[in-house]
């Protein structure tokens, strides 16, 4: 990040940061506990100061835009994204931090005072703000006054329950309306989890969620009780039933898949250890990727993505179209994985031009960015600018700050590339074979370089590179693919 000037206050904050980072360990147990307490209080005070400065930034921006004649409905657009960049978090989290700061300083003064003095944690302050965000301002003040003495005494969970109960008591009509709005926010989401797993989350009305869980639980108990679980626990059976009932599959494992195999050929066909990468979810071990391809009971289409050997970046693709579509769009989504904006982990919705098409930006690999919808619309606001290549993205904000993020290489760079044979068809256009049932990809046998032949007599040796096939047993992936190809041929 680059800032225009550094004030005395910021210099002092940086000095304290350096002192804390170089702080030697405590000499005794008592001193260690005292330091932990003091640092926790300092964390709370810092959170309060950040909230105050966030609201101050909001007010300065809105005042300036009002003086410039910006309509009130358009004032403050993009503030959450700038706060997110400043705090190194996503745009959506930056917007939530802005809302929290407004609530804390404008509607919950006593809660803010407790945070400012270091008596409560930022987590407690967030709970009070969250459980009262649907109340009108005068009722929020009442909750703040009546809960002031309880803030320090109770834990986070108990505090949330007490604040919620008091809020519902003060305004039952608003509470009912709030619950009705919550029903409208029902949705299903998926996000990565450790161990090649993922969380499939359904936000449902309480009665519906309990009914769905009860049905899965009873069905799983029946399967376990009749001995059909096949060494699966009740929880595992419930998970399999959920997949089967939502997808209509006969088996949870039989998932029709188009696998974007972002891995080198050693890891795909041999015993290489370079992890594969599932777009939007992250890395998985090469062995696990081979098992997904080879052991899946349903149809699997393998799309190999080639990378530049020197740095592991995906190869370039150009287009004369105005929109990013087809394989070019797919490659952009796979390269960027999630929204390309710094610290934004939202799923990619738009593949768009970093430099606008109307401003002369081309629909090509270097000028492409995979962004969530909010970040894509955000870069069109006055004062925002994106500058991109395939290797990096630079974001400039209305305050003049600059944030730079590099593109993560898809593949693993190789250091020795000069000794590999190269095809003269590299730049030839290829068609997307995902929908062509008659298209098969055949593996070229691995080659190794051998010594050139020596000639007797007065002839000089031939100055050519000689290659020969390398004998090796087929991999599990190859064996599986050959078996399926044979089944297909016998059925024709």
């Amino acid at each position: 990040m680059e800032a225009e000037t550094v004030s005395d206050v910021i210099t002092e904050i940086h000095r304290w940061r350096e002192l804390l980072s170089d702080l030697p360990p405590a000499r005794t147990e008592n001193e260690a506990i005292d330091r932990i307490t003091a640092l926790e209080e300092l964390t709370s005070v810092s959170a309060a100061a950040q909230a105050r400065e966030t609201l101050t930034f909001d007010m300065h921006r809105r005042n300036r835009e009002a003086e410039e004649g910006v309509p009130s409905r358009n004032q403050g657009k993009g503030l959450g994204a700038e706060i997110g960049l400043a705090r190194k978090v996503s745009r959506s989290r930056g917007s939530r931090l802005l809302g929290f700061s407004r609530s804390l300083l404008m509607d919950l003064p006593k809660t803010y005072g407790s945070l400012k003095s270091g008596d409560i944690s930022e987590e407690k302050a967030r709970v009070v703000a969250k459980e009262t965000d649907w109340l009108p301002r005068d009722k929020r003040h009442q909750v703040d006054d009546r809960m002031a003495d309880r803030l320090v005494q109770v834990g986070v969970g108990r505090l949330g329950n007490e604040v919620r109960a008091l809020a519902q008591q003060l305004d039952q009509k608003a509470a009912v309306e709030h619950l009705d709005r919550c029903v409208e926010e029902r949705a299903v989401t998926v996000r990565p989890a450790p161990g090649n797993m993922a969380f499939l989350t359904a936000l449902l009305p309480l009665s519906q969620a309990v009914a769905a869980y009860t049905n899965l639980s009873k069905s799983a108990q029946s399967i376990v009780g009749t001995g059909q679980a096949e060494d699966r626990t009740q929880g595992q059976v419930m998970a399999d039933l959920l997949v089967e009932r939502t997808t209509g599959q006969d088996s949870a494992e039989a998932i029709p898949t188009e696998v974007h195999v972002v891995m080198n050929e050693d890891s795909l066909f041999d015993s290489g250890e370079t992890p594969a990468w599932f777009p939007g979810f992250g890395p998985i071990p090469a062995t696990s990727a081979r098992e997904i391809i080879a052991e899946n009971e349903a149809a699997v289409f393998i799309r190999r993505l080639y990378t530049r050997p020197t740095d592991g970046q995906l190869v370039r693709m150009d287009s004369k179209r105005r929109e990013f579509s087809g394989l070019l769009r797919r490659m952009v989504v796979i390269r960027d994985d999630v929204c390309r904006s710094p610290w934004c982990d939202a799923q990619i919705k738009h593949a768009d031009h970093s430099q606008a098409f109307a401003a002369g930006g081309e629909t090509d690999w270097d000028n492409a960015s995979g962004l969530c919808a909010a970040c894509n619309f955000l870069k069109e606001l006055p004062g925002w600018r994106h500058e991109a290549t395939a290797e990096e993205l630079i974001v400039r904000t209305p305050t003049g700050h600059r944030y730079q993020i590099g593109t993560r290489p898809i593949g693993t760079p190789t250091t020795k590339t000069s000794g590999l044979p190269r095809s003269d068809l590299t730049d030839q256009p290829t068609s997307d074979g995902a929908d062509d049932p008659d298209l098969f990809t055949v593996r070229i046998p691995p080659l190794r370089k051998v010594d050139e032949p020596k000639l007797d007599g007065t002839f000089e040796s031939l100055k050519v590179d000689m290659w020969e096939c390398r004998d090796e047993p087929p991999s599990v992936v190859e064996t599986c693919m050959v078996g399926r190809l044979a089944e297909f041929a016998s059925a024709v």
Side-chain angles (χ1 to χ4, degrees):
M1 184 188 74
E2 296 178 359
E4 295 180 355
T5 59
V6 178
S7 66
D8 293 339
V9 173
I10 295 178
T11 300
E12 186 68 12
I13 293 174
H14 288 172
R15 186 179 71 84
W16 273 100
R17 184 187 66 186
E18 293 175 359
L19 287 174
L20 287 175
S21 64
D22 296 333
L23 186 68
R27 298 181 180 180
T28 65
E29 296 178 9
N30 289 339
E31 184 181 358
I33 288 294
D34 290 340
R35 286 188 180 188
I36 292 172
T37 301
L39 289 171
E40 180 62 26
E41 294 173 349
L42 180 60
T43 300
S44 299
V45 174
S46 297
Q50 276 189 318
R52 185 191 65 240
E53 296 302 329
T54 298
L55 185 61
T56 302
F57 171 63
D58 182 16
M59 295 173 59
H60 282 314
R61 174 62 58 81
R62 291 179 182 275
N63 291 338
R64 177 177 65 80
E65 291 179 340
E67 293 175 357
E68 295 174 353
V70 178
S72 58
R73 66 179 180 276
N74 294 329
Q75 294 174 11
K77 284 190 174 182
L79 286 175
E82 289 188 71
I83 293 168
L85 289 171
R87 296 192 61 169
K88 298 179 175 62
V89 296
S90 67
R91 174 207 54 81
S92 59
R93 182 164 175 78
S95 297
R96 291 196 297 271
L97 290 169
L98 175 59
F100 168 66
S101 300
R102 289 172 180 163
S103 298
L104 193 61
L105 277 87
M106 300 176 67
D107 301 334
L108 305 169
K110 291 191 176 180
T111 303
Y112 170 71
S114 296
L115 181 66
K116 182 180 178 182
S117 63
D119 293 334
I120 65 172
S121 64
E122 184 181 12
E123 185 179 9
K124 283 189 174 182
R126 289 182 187 278
V127 166
V128 177
K130 179 181 178 181
E131 296 295 349
T132 61
D133 62 356
W134 48 272
L135 282 174
R137 175 162 294 175
D138 60 330
K139 299 295 176 62
R140 298 191 83 180
H141 282 302
Q142 294 182 39
V143 174
D144 186 52
D145 288 336
R146 294 172 61 173
M147 292 299 301
D149 295 336
R150 297 287 290 168
L151 294 175
V152 181
Q153 300 176 15
V154 298
V156 175
R158 180 65 179 270
L159 177 63
N161 291 334
E162 292 188 11
V163 171
R164 188 185 312 117
L166 179 57
Q168 293 175 354
Q169 177 184 343
L170 289 175
D171 198 331
Q172 295 188 30
K173 181 180 177 181
V176 173
E177 294 175 350
H178 170 63
L179 294 179
D180 291 339
R181 288 194 300 271
C182 289
V183 172
E184 296 176 357
E185 297 174 356
R186 62 190 183 276
V188 178
T189 58
V190 62
R191 67 184 189 278
N196 296 342
M197 304 292 283
F199 293 105
L200 177 65
T201 305
L203 180 62
L204 301 172
L206 179 61
S207 58
Q208 296 179 12
V210 172
Y213 182 86
T214 301
N215 183 274
L216 288 173
S217 179
K218 287 183 177 180
S219 299
Q221 288 175 4
S222 176
I223 292 175
V224 173
T226 55
Q228 304 177 42
E230 299 177 349
D231 297 329
R232 294 177 295 172
T233 65
Q234 180 176 325
Q236 292 170 339
V237 174
M238 290 177 64
D240 292 344
L241 286 174
L242 176 64
V243 174
E244 293 166 6
R245 292 179 179 180
T246 53
T247 62
Q249 301 164 191
D250 295 332
S251 171
E253 290 79 16
I255 306 173
T257 307
E258 175 180 342
V259 183
H260 288 154
V261 183
V262 187
M263 55 195 302
N264 59 34
E265 50 274 357
D266 287 339
S267 294
L268 176 60
F269 293 110
D270 300 321
S271 58
E273 298 180 354
T274 302
W277 194 277
F278 273 45
F281 291 90
I284 65 170
T287 301
S288 299
R290 289 191 291 268
E291 291 175 353
I292 291 174
I293 297 169
E295 298 179 4
N296 199 331
E297 299 176 10
V300 176
F301 178 81
I302 302 177
R303 182 186 302 282
R304 297 186 62 191
L305 301 170
Y306 289 95
T307 58
R308 193 164 51 212
T310 54
D311 58 6
Q313 296 285 358
L314 280 177
V315 296
R316 178 190 305 269
M317 288 185 65
D318 296 327
S319 173
K320 301 301 181 182
R321 299 181 180 180
R322 177 167 184 155
E323 297 181 355
F324 291 93
S325 59
L327 281 179
L328 179 55
R329 185 186 191 282
R330 186 172 300 184
M331 287 183 65
V332 171
V333 172
I334 292 173
R335 179 197 68 187
D336 294 338
D337 193 40
V338 294
C339 179
R340 201 181 188 191
S341 294
W343 304 296
C344 183
D345 294 329
Q347 294 295 312
I348 293 175
K349 297 296 183 181
H350 297 168
D352 201 6
H353 305 76
S354 296
Q355 181 185 7
F357 185 86
E362 298 183 357
T363 308
D364 62 13
W365 183 240
D366 274 335
N367 196 40
S369 285
L371 303 171
C372 67
C375 287
N376 189 36
F377 295 139
L378 180 69
K379 70 181 178 63
E380 304 300 329
L381 295 177
W384 287 84
R385 190 166 79 252
H386 281 203
E387 303 168 2
T389 65
E391 287 75 27
E392 66 177 4
L393 171 68
I394 298 174
V395 177
R396 299 185 186 274
T397 66
T399 57
H401 288 74
R402 174 181 178 273
Y403 302 86
Q404 180 175 349
I405 185 170
T407 303
R408 176 191 59 83
I410 289 291
T412 302
T414 57
T415 56
K416 298 180 180 180
T417 60
S418 60
L420 299 178
R422 297 184 179 273
S423 167
D424 58 358
L425 302 178
T426 303
D427 298 327
Q428 296 298 321
T430 59
S431 61
D432 184 1
D435 301 321
D436 187 354
D438 298 324
L439 179 62
F440 294 94
T441 301
V442 180
R443 180 193 180 196
I444 300 175
L447 303 175
R448 65 181 179 87
K449 194 171 183 179
V450 298
D451 295 334
E452 61 187 31
K454 301 298 184 179
L455 301 179
D456 297 331
T458 59
F459 296 99
E460 296 182 358
S461 65
L462 298 176
K463 300 300 183 181
V464 296
D465 290 336
M466 301 295 294
W467 304 83
E468 69 176 14
C469 290
R470 187 174 63 201
D471 294 330
E472 58 182 15
S475 67
V476 61
V477 176
E478 289 180 295
T479 303
C480 175
M481 295 176 67
V482 170
R484 291 183 179 176
L485 182 58
E487 293 175 2
F488 175 82
S490 62
V492 174

